[in-house]
Amino acid sequence: MKTFPSRICFAVYTLLLVTLTACSTRFGVPGSGGLSNSGSGTGYAGSLESSTIEAPTTVAELTAGNTAACAADGTLPAWCQHAFTGQRDSRSGVMTPEFDPPAGNVSDEDIHSYFSDDSGMRILANFMLGYCTKSGSTYCNNNVQTGYTADDSRTVAAQGADLMRRHIDGAIMSWDGDGTSEDNATKLFQSWADSNACSNGSCRLTYLIMYNTASLDYNVKSTGIGGTSGKSCSGLAGATYENCVIAHLRNDICYINAAHWGNDAYEKVNGRPILEFFLYDGVIPTTGPAPSWEDVWVHIGDWVNDLPHHCSSAPYNADHGVPLIVFENASGFTQPSSSGGFYWIKPEGTDIATDQLIDNISGASDGTLDNFLSSAVTYDRQLAFSGAFKGFNSIQATWGTGRIMDQQCGRTWIESLTESKKYYSTGAPYLQIATWNDYNEGTEIETGIDNCFTVSASAGGSSLHWNLDATDSAVTLETVSHIEIYDVPNGGNLILVGSQSAASSGTWSFSGLSPGKHMLYVRMVGKNSILNRISSGVSYDN
C-alpha cells in the first residue's frame, strides 16, 4: 500500500436513500425476494430499507452499474471525469487477466449474514485517498487513473452510499497528515456521514484513520505545540531521525485528536478512538534500545495517555479518550503501546507460475491469515481485525510492480472473508476489507468481483431451464447467493416471480404465469460484492 496526494467529486443523497440525483441509474437492486416457484408478486428486498427503494421496472435498470466506480461507457456519473474500462495483465500465464473489471451490477447482500446473528462483527473497508485525474496520462500523482478524484464531495457521497448499500459498516482511511488531500477526503467523508448516516449520536456509517508512516517524509501543517513538528524526516538518520519521527507523530496525533476523534462518526470502542498504523520500518532498527522503532512507540504510548495535557492548546487538547493503537499483522499485538493488530494482504511475489496460486489464507507460515488469527485469539483482550481480500495484482503500479495473487473467480474473496469463523465462534470482532479501491495493487472491490459464471436459459415444455456456465475451472458455487426468475408479461414492467437456491442448473415451472406473452430472465445473485449476472430473454406464450 502506498498513497500520494490527489482530489475527488459530488452527488446529493437523501438520508439512507441510495439514489443519486445526478445519475440516470438507480442504486437499488433486488434482494433474495423469498418468493415461491409459482409466485407473481414483486418480492423486492431493498439494500437499506425496502420501503424507500423502488424495484427495477426494466431489464436495463436491473443490470445497470450500481457502484461508486466510474462506468466504462455511456453517460458518466456526476463524480467521474472520465470512464474506467478495467485493468488487465497481459503477461502469459496470468489466470485472471482482467483483475479489475469495469464497474458492473454488484450484489448488495448483507455481508454480516455470513456470520452468526450474534456476531457483532464490525466490517470496514480500507480506502486509498490519493486518486486524481489528469489528461493525456495513464497516471496522476503516481496513481493509476480511476476516472474520479478522491477528495471531491461527489465521489465521497457516491462511495458512502455504496458502502451502506453493501451493508459495510465504515471506512478505514489511509491518511497522510493535515493539509494533504487524504485528510481533506477524510473530512469530506466525516461530513457526509454526519449528514446522511448519523442521528442522535449514533452512526450507521463510521470511519477510522490508518496512519501511513510513509507520510513521515512529508512536510505537513504544524500544530505549534511544544515537542511537536510537521517537518519531513526524510534524509535523517539515527537519533536525529527518531527524534524527528516522535515529534512528527505527536504533531499529527494532536491534530487527529482535534479534527476527528471527537466526531460521532469516528469508530470508537467504549469511548476510545481507534488509530491504525501501517508501518514502513527502516532507517532505525525495529527493536532494541534507542534509536529504534520500539523506542518510538514507547514515547508515543506515553504521549497518547494524556492528550489533554500534552496537546496543550485548543482545539488539540480536547479529551476524547485514550486512543487504541492497532499495528499491522501478528507482530502488531506485541508492539509497545499496542492495543491490537490488523491483518494485511501479503502477496508471495512476482512469479506467475507459482506465486499467483498462493492466497496466504490457510497455513501456519508467517504472513498467512491463519497465522494472524491463531495469534489474535491468544491476545483476547486486544482488538483483532481479520482480513478480507479478493486477490492482488500490481502490474499497473509505479512501485512493487508485478506482484500477484490470483482471485480464483471470487474464491479468494469468500474464503478470506469468512476465515475467522475457524477461530472465533461468531467471527473476529473486526474485519478489514483490503481494499475498497486500491486500483494500483489490484485489490479493489469497488467495481465488483467476477465469479466466472454466466447464465443461460431456455424454454422446454412447461418449464424454464437455466444453467450457470463456468468460464474458468476455479469457479465455486460458494460465490453465489441465489437465483432469481424475472418476468416481463405482455411487454409490461419487470416482475420478480421466483427465487431458488444456488445451484449449477435448475428449472422453473410456467404454471403460475398469467395468459399472454412473456419474456423471462434468470439472474444469478452473487454473494456480497460479487458481480450479478443475467441470462438473455426467453420468450413464452401461455
Side-chain angles (χ1 to χ4, degrees), residues 20-41:
L20 301 178
T21 59
C23 183
S24 61
T25 61
R26 288 189 178 99
F27 266 95
V29 298
S32 58
L35 297 182
S36 66
N37 182 52
S38 59
S40 59

CSV table of all heavy atoms in Angstrom, one decimal, residues 20-41:
chain,number,residue,atom,x,y,z
A,20,LEU,N,-28.8,8.6,-6.5
A,20,LEU,CA,-28.0,9.7,-6.9
A,20,LEU,C,-28.9,10.7,-7.8
A,20,LEU,O,-29.3,10.2,-8.8
A,20,LEU,CB,-26.8,9.3,-7.6
A,20,LEU,CG,-25.9,8.3,-6.8
A,20,LEU,CD1,-24.7,7.9,-7.6
A,20,LEU,CD2,-25.5,9.0,-5.5
A,21,THR,N,-29.0,11.9,-7.4
A,21,THR,CA,-29.9,12.8,-8.2
A,21,THR,C,-29.2,13.1,-9.5
A,21,THR,O,-29.9,13.5,-10.4
A,21,THR,CB,-30.1,14.1,-7.4
A,21,THR,OG1,-28.9,14.7,-7.1
A,21,THR,CG2,-30.9,13.8,-6.1
A,22,ALA,N,-27.9,13.0,-9.6
A,22,ALA,CA,-27.2,13.4,-10.8
A,22,ALA,C,-27.0,12.2,-11.7
A,22,ALA,O,-26.3,12.3,-12.7
A,22,ALA,CB,-25.8,14.0,-10.5
A,23,CYS,N,-27.4,11.0,-11.3
A,23,CYS,CA,-27.1,9.8,-12.1
A,23,CYS,C,-28.4,9.3,-12.7
A,23,CYS,O,-29.5,9.3,-12.1
A,23,CYS,CB,-26.5,8.7,-11.1
A,23,CYS,SG,-26.1,7.2,-12.0
A,24,SER,N,-28.3,8.7,-13.9
A,24,SER,CA,-29.5,8.2,-14.5
A,24,SER,C,-30.0,6.8,-14.1
A,24,SER,O,-31.0,6.4,-14.6
A,24,SER,CB,-29.3,8.2,-16.1
A,24,SER,OG,-28.2,7.4,-16.4
A,25,THR,N,-29.1,6.1,-13.4
A,25,THR,CA,-29.5,4.8,-13.0
A,25,THR,C,-29.7,4.7,-11.5
A,25,THR,O,-29.2,5.4,-10.7
A,25,THR,CB,-28.4,3.8,-13.3
A,25,THR,OG1,-27.2,4.2,-12.6
A,25,THR,CG2,-28.1,3.7,-14.8
A,26,ARG,N,-30.6,3.7,-11.0
A,26,ARG,CA,-30.8,3.6,-9.6
A,26,ARG,C,-29.8,2.7,-9.0
A,26,ARG,O,-29.1,1.9,-9.6
A,26,ARG,CB,-32.2,2.8,-9.4
A,26,ARG,CG,-33.4,3.7,-9.7
A,26,ARG,CD,-34.7,3.0,-9.3
A,26,ARG,NE,-35.8,3.8,-9.5
A,26,ARG,CZ,-36.6,3.7,-10.5
A,26,ARG,NH1,-36.4,2.7,-11.4
A,26,ARG,NH2,-37.7,4.4,-10.7
A,27,PHE,N,-29.6,2.9,-7.7
A,27,PHE,CA,-28.6,2.1,-6.9
A,27,PHE,C,-29.3,0.8,-6.4
A,27,PHE,O,-28.6,-0.1,-6.2
A,27,PHE,CB,-28.0,2.9,-5.7
A,27,PHE,CG,-26.7,3.5,-6.1
A,27,PHE,CD1,-26.7,4.9,-6.5
A,27,PHE,CD2,-25.6,2.8,-6.0
A,27,PHE,CE1,-25.5,5.5,-6.8
A,27,PHE,CE2,-24.4,3.4,-6.3
A,27,PHE,CZ,-24.3,4.8,-6.7
A,28,GLY,N,-30.6,0.8,-6.2
A,28,GLY,CA,-31.2,-0.3,-5.6
A,28,GLY,C,-31.3,-1.5,-6.5
A,28,GLY,O,-31.5,-1.4,-7.7
A,29,VAL,N,-31.0,-2.7,-6.0
A,29,VAL,CA,-31.1,-3.9,-6.8
A,29,VAL,C,-31.9,-4.9,-5.9
A,29,VAL,O,-32.0,-4.9,-4.7
A,29,VAL,CB,-29.8,-4.5,-7.1
A,29,VAL,CG1,-29.0,-3.6,-8.0
A,29,VAL,CG2,-29.0,-4.9,-5.9
A,30,PRO,N,-32.6,-5.9,-6.6
A,30,PRO,CA,-33.4,-6.8,-5.9
A,30,PRO,C,-32.6,-7.7,-4.9
A,30,PRO,O,-31.5,-8.0,-5.2
A,30,PRO,CB,-34.0,-7.7,-7.0
A,30,PRO,CG,-34.0,-6.8,-8.2
A,30,PRO,CD,-32.8,-6.0,-8.0
A,31,GLY,N,-33.2,-8.0,-3.8
A,31,GLY,CA,-32.6,-8.9,-2.9
A,31,GLY,C,-33.1,-10.3,-3.1
A,31,GLY,O,-33.5,-10.7,-4.2
A,32,SER,N,-33.2,-11.1,-2.0
A,32,SER,CA,-33.5,-12.5,-2.2
A,32,SER,C,-34.9,-12.7,-2.5
A,32,SER,O,-35.3,-13.7,-3.1
A,32,SER,CB,-33.2,-13.2,-0.9
A,32,SER,OG,-33.9,-12.7,0.2
A,33,GLY,N,-35.8,-11.8,-2.2
A,33,GLY,CA,-37.2,-11.9,-2.6
A,33,GLY,C,-38.0,-12.9,-1.8
A,33,GLY,O,-39.0,-12.7,-1.3
A,34,GLY,N,-37.5,-14.2,-1.7
A,34,GLY,CA,-38.1,-15.2,-1.0
A,34,GLY,C,-39.5,-15.7,-1.5
A,34,GLY,O,-40.3,-16.2,-0.8
A,35,LEU,N,-39.6,-15.6,-2.9
A,35,LEU,CA,-40.9,-16.0,-3.5
A,35,LEU,C,-40.9,-17.5,-3.8
A,35,LEU,O,-39.8,-18.1,-4.0
A,35,LEU,CB,-41.2,-15.2,-4.7
A,35,LEU,CG,-41.3,-13.7,-4.6
A,35,LEU,CD1,-41.6,-13.1,-5.9
A,35,LEU,CD2,-42.4,-13.4,-3.6
A,36,SER,N,-42.1,-18.1,-3.8
A,36,SER,CA,-42.2,-19.5,-4.2
A,36,SER,C,-42.1,-19.6,-5.8
A,36,SER,O,-42.1,-18.6,-6.5
A,36,SER,CB,-43.5,-20.0,-3.8
A,36,SER,OG,-44.6,-19.4,-4.4
A,37,ASN,N,-42.0,-20.8,-6.2
A,37,ASN,CA,-41.9,-21.0,-7.7
A,37,ASN,C,-43.1,-20.5,-8.4
A,37,ASN,O,-42.9,-20.0,-9.6
A,37,ASN,CB,-41.8,-22.5,-7.9
A,37,ASN,CG,-41.7,-22.9,-9.3
A,37,ASN,OD1,-40.8,-22.4,-10.0
A,37,ASN,ND2,-42.5,-23.8,-9.8
A,38,SER,N,-44.3,-20.5,-7.8
A,38,SER,CA,-45.5,-20.0,-8.6
A,38,SER,C,-45.9,-18.6,-8.2
A,38,SER,O,-46.9,-18.2,-8.6
A,38,SER,CB,-46.6,-21.0,-8.3
A,38,SER,OG,-46.9,-20.9,-6.9
A,39,GLY,N,-45.1,-17.9,-7.5
A,39,GLY,CA,-45.4,-16.5,-7.1
A,39,GLY,C,-45.5,-15.6,-8.3
A,39,GLY,O,-44.9,-15.8,-9.3
A,40,SER,N,-46.2,-14.4,-8.1
A,40,SER,CA,-46.3,-13.5,-9.1
A,40,SER,C,-46.1,-12.0,-8.6
A,40,SER,O,-46.3,-11.1,-9.3
A,40,SER,CB,-47.6,-13.5,-9.8
A,40,SER,OG,-48.7,-13.3,-8.9
A,41,GLY,N,-45.8,-11.9,-7.3
A,41,GLY,CA,-45.6,-10.5,-6.7
A,41,GLY,C,-44.2,-10.0,-7.0
A,41,GLY,O,-43.4,-10.7,-7.6
